[in-house]
């Protein structure tokens, strides 16, 4: 039940000043930030992160975009964190994303869709290990987590 997921805020989220707004939404859902940093993603990291999409028509454009300026990388923890985060983020194409989701409220187009979130616990583990060492992932008590776990 308790899961960790990998999220990063793409260059458009940082350039548009939406970092606080987006992190606030995850905190509001009771998710715990257990790792956080800003950096410029290298092409190697972006190609590794998106390797399942290698060869697709949008691959180079995606890698160019996500390496164009700094991103905010994070690991979030909580019950069913992968699903909770994907739901909070919304559909890949902002045109399809529900109002109230991050992409549905702020997304501009499918490349500039603000944010990445892992789609499974296995992807999350693989993706977070590209950017974080185990020792960079912190743990600390978050009062709300007891309620979230108890209520199942
Ligand atoms: P996800 O970010 O919702 O998991 P994926 O299908 O894994 O979506 O695609 C990764 C990223 O590649 C998307 O967030 C989006 O920026 C980009 N992308 C996906 N499909 C397309 C497309 O058809 N055209 C342009 N960019 C795309
Ligand atoms: Mg994906």
């Amino acid at each position: 039940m308790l899961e960790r997921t990998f999220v990063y805020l793409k260059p458009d989220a940082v350039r548009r000043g939406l970092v606080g707004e987006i992190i606030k939404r995850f905190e509001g859902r009771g998710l715990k930030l257990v790792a956080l940093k800003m950096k410029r993603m290298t092409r190697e990291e972006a190609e590794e992160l998106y390797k399942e999409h290698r060869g697709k028509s949008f691959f180079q454009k995606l890698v160019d975009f996500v390496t164009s300026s700094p991103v905010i990388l994070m690991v979030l923890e909580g019950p069913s964190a992968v699903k909770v985060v994907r739901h909070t983020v919304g559909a890949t194409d902002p045109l399809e994303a529900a109002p109230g989701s991050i992409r549905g409220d702020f997304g501009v187009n499918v490349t500039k869709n603000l944010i990445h979130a892992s789609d499974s616990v296995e992807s999350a583990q693989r993706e977070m290990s590209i950017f974080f060492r185990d020792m960079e992932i912190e743990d600390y008590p978050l009062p709300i987590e007891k309620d979230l776990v108890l209520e199942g």
Side-chain angles (χ1 to χ4, degrees):
M1 271 294 280
L2 196 67
E3 295 175 355
R4 281 180 177 169
T5 191
F6 169 72
V7 167
Y8 84 89
L9 309 188
K10 295 183 179 180
D12 52 336
V14 178
R15 290 183 203 148
R16 289 174 59 195
L18 291 170
V19 173
E21 169 69 40
I22 294 171
I23 291 177
K24 186 172 96 172
R25 290 174 176 225
F26 294 129
E27 290 182 322
R29 294 219 64 177
L31 290 155
K32 174 156 63 173
L33 262 173
V34 293
L36 179 70
K37 65 178 154 193
M38 173 182 263
K39 71 172 289 211
R40 188 184 276 254
M41 205 181 278
T42 65
R43 290 194 79 82
E44 291 70 29
E45 288 166 337
E47 288 175 4
E48 176 62 22
L49 177 68
Y50 288 117
K51 67 179 182 186
E52 66 177 299
H53 298 301
R54 204 170 276 163
K56 293 186 185 166
S57 58
F58 59 83
F59 185 73
Q60 283 309 323
K61 198 167 140 192
L62 177 64
V63 170
D64 287 346
F65 174 57
V66 303
T67 57
S68 64
S69 63
V71 300
I72 302 282
L73 303 144
M74 67 189 87
V75 178
L76 291 165
E77 183 183 282
S80 305
V82 169
K83 193 170 179 185
V84 171
V85 168
R86 291 279 289 189
H87 206 229
T88 303
V89 166
T92 305
D93 185 345
L95 285 175
E96 307 293 332
S101 66
I102 292 164
R103 287 167 171 166
D105 286 351
F106 304 110
V108 175
N109 65 48
V110 73
T111 300
K112 293 183 171 151
N113 64 356
L114 299 165
I115 182 165
H116 166 89
S118 306
D119 61 10
S120 68
V121 171
E122 296 70 37
S123 316
Q125 192 50 53
R126 185 187 79 80
E127 293 171 0
M128 74 180 76
S129 74
I130 300 171
F131 301 101
F132 292 100
R133 298 158 179 263
D134 285 350
M135 60 171 288
E136 290 180 292
I137 301 178
E138 296 284 352
D139 198 19
Y140 58 92
L142 188 71
I144 193 175
E145 72 192 327
K146 285 199 230 73
D147 294 324
L148 296 176
V149 174
L150 283 175
E151 297 299 321

mmCIF file with all atom_site columns, all heavy atoms in Angstrom, residues 52-53 86 116-117 119, ligand 2:
data_model
loop_
_atom_site.group_PDB
_atom_site.id
_atom_site.type_symbol
_atom_site.label_atom_id
_atom_site.label_alt_id
_atom_site.label_comp_id
_atom_site.label_asym_id
_atom_site.label_entity_id
_atom_site.label_seq_id
_atom_site.pdbx_PDB_ins_code
_atom_site.Cartn_x
_atom_site.Cartn_y
_atom_site.Cartn_z
_atom_site.occupancy
_atom_site.B_iso_or_equiv
_atom_site.pdbx_formal_charge
_atom_site.auth_seq_id
_atom_site.auth_comp_id
_atom_site.auth_asym_id
_atom_site.auth_atom_id
_atom_site.pdbx_PDB_model_num
ATOM   1  N  N   . GLU A 1 52  ? 11.463 4.021  -23.225 1.00 0.00 ? 52  GLU A N   1
ATOM   2  C  CA  . GLU A 1 52  ? 10.338 3.294  -23.840 1.00 0.00 ? 52  GLU A CA  1
ATOM   3  C  C   . GLU A 1 52  ? 9.793  4.029  -25.077 1.00 0.00 ? 52  GLU A C   1
ATOM   4  O  O   . GLU A 1 52  ? 9.082  3.441  -25.895 1.00 0.00 ? 52  GLU A O   1
ATOM   5  C  CB  . GLU A 1 52  ? 9.195  3.071  -22.830 1.00 0.00 ? 52  GLU A CB  1
ATOM   6  C  CG  . GLU A 1 52  ? 8.534  4.365  -22.388 1.00 0.00 ? 52  GLU A CG  1
ATOM   7  C  CD  . GLU A 1 52  ? 7.339  4.194  -21.424 1.00 0.00 ? 52  GLU A CD  1
ATOM   8  O  OE1 . GLU A 1 52  ? 6.355  3.558  -21.807 1.00 0.00 ? 52  GLU A OE1 1
ATOM   9  O  OE2 . GLU A 1 52  ? 7.424  4.738  -20.303 1.00 0.00 ? 52  GLU A OE2 1
ATOM   10 N  N   . HIS A 1 53  ? 10.099 5.326  -25.184 1.00 0.00 ? 53  HIS A N   1
ATOM   11 C  CA  . HIS A 1 53  ? 9.578  6.124  -26.307 1.00 0.00 ? 53  HIS A CA  1
ATOM   12 C  C   . HIS A 1 53  ? 10.611 6.333  -27.416 1.00 0.00 ? 53  HIS A C   1
ATOM   13 O  O   . HIS A 1 53  ? 10.340 7.040  -28.389 1.00 0.00 ? 53  HIS A O   1
ATOM   14 C  CB  . HIS A 1 53  ? 9.091  7.488  -25.809 1.00 0.00 ? 53  HIS A CB  1
ATOM   15 C  CG  . HIS A 1 53  ? 7.975  7.393  -24.822 1.00 0.00 ? 53  HIS A CG  1
ATOM   16 N  ND1 . HIS A 1 53  ? 6.773  6.791  -25.110 1.00 0.00 ? 53  HIS A ND1 1
ATOM   17 C  CD2 . HIS A 1 53  ? 7.879  7.806  -23.529 1.00 0.00 ? 53  HIS A CD2 1
ATOM   18 C  CE1 . HIS A 1 53  ? 5.980  6.846  -24.052 1.00 0.00 ? 53  HIS A CE1 1
ATOM   19 N  NE2 . HIS A 1 53  ? 6.634  7.440  -23.071 1.00 0.00 ? 53  HIS A NE2 1
ATOM   20 N  N   . ARG A 1 86  ? -0.820 10.158 -10.396 1.00 0.00 ? 86  ARG A N   1
ATOM   21 C  CA  . ARG A 1 86  ? -1.231 10.167 -11.810 1.00 0.00 ? 86  ARG A CA  1
ATOM   22 C  C   . ARG A 1 86  ? -2.610 10.829 -11.966 1.00 0.00 ? 86  ARG A C   1
ATOM   23 O  O   . ARG A 1 86  ? -2.869 11.548 -12.929 1.00 0.00 ? 86  ARG A O   1
ATOM   24 C  CB  . ARG A 1 86  ? -1.281 8.738  -12.378 1.00 0.00 ? 86  ARG A CB  1
ATOM   25 C  CG  . ARG A 1 86  ? 0.064  8.069  -12.532 1.00 0.00 ? 86  ARG A CG  1
ATOM   26 C  CD  . ARG A 1 86  ? 0.817  8.461  -13.780 1.00 0.00 ? 86  ARG A CD  1
ATOM   27 N  NE  . ARG A 1 86  ? 0.251  7.946  -14.994 1.00 0.00 ? 86  ARG A NE  1
ATOM   28 C  CZ  . ARG A 1 86  ? 0.849  8.026  -16.181 1.00 0.00 ? 86  ARG A CZ  1
ATOM   29 N  NH1 . ARG A 1 86  ? 2.035  8.608  -16.304 1.00 0.00 ? 86  ARG A NH1 1
ATOM   30 N  NH2 . ARG A 1 86  ? 0.276  7.552  -17.258 1.00 0.00 ? 86  ARG A NH2 1
ATOM   31 N  N   . HIS A 1 116 ? 5.878  15.212 -15.183 1.00 0.00 ? 116 HIS A N   1
ATOM   32 C  CA  . HIS A 1 116 ? 5.997  13.765 -15.418 1.00 0.00 ? 116 HIS A CA  1
ATOM   33 C  C   . HIS A 1 116 ? 5.683  13.044 -14.117 1.00 0.00 ? 116 HIS A C   1
ATOM   34 O  O   . HIS A 1 116 ? 6.101  13.493 -13.052 1.00 0.00 ? 116 HIS A O   1
ATOM   35 C  CB  . HIS A 1 116 ? 7.432  13.427 -15.830 1.00 0.00 ? 116 HIS A CB  1
ATOM   36 C  CG  . HIS A 1 116 ? 7.725  11.954 -15.760 1.00 0.00 ? 116 HIS A CG  1
ATOM   37 N  ND1 . HIS A 1 116 ? 7.511  11.109 -16.827 1.00 0.00 ? 116 HIS A ND1 1
ATOM   38 C  CD2 . HIS A 1 116 ? 8.167  11.166 -14.743 1.00 0.00 ? 116 HIS A CD2 1
ATOM   39 C  CE1 . HIS A 1 116 ? 7.828  9.872  -16.473 1.00 0.00 ? 116 HIS A CE1 1
ATOM   40 N  NE2 . HIS A 1 116 ? 8.235  9.883  -15.211 1.00 0.00 ? 116 HIS A NE2 1
ATOM   41 N  N   . ALA A 1 117 ? 4.995  11.925 -14.198 1.00 0.00 ? 117 ALA A N   1
ATOM   42 C  CA  . ALA A 1 117 ? 4.772  11.086 -13.011 1.00 0.00 ? 117 ALA A CA  1
ATOM   43 C  C   . ALA A 1 117 ? 4.858  9.624  -13.434 1.00 0.00 ? 117 ALA A C   1
ATOM   44 O  O   . ALA A 1 117 ? 4.296  9.235  -14.470 1.00 0.00 ? 117 ALA A O   1
ATOM   45 C  CB  . ALA A 1 117 ? 3.403  11.380 -12.405 1.00 0.00 ? 117 ALA A CB  1
ATOM   46 N  N   . ASP A 1 119 ? 4.322  5.664  -13.971 1.00 0.00 ? 119 ASP A N   1
ATOM   47 C  CA  . ASP A 1 119 ? 3.044  4.976  -14.206 1.00 0.00 ? 119 ASP A CA  1
ATOM   48 C  C   . ASP A 1 119 ? 2.909  3.654  -13.456 1.00 0.00 ? 119 ASP A C   1
ATOM   49 O  O   . ASP A 1 119 ? 1.880  2.988  -13.567 1.00 0.00 ? 119 ASP A O   1
ATOM   50 C  CB  . ASP A 1 119 ? 2.802  4.783  -15.707 1.00 0.00 ? 119 ASP A CB  1
ATOM   51 C  CG  . ASP A 1 119 ? 3.875  3.928  -16.374 1.00 0.00 ? 119 ASP A CG  1
ATOM   52 O  OD1 . ASP A 1 119 ? 4.701  3.321  -15.664 1.00 0.00 ? 119 ASP A OD1 1
ATOM   53 O  OD2 . ASP A 1 119 ? 3.889  3.877  -17.617 1.00 0.00 ? 119 ASP A OD2 1
HETATM 54 MG MG1 . LIG B 2 .   ? 4.740  7.933  -19.061 1.00 0.00 ? 2   LIG B MG1 1
#
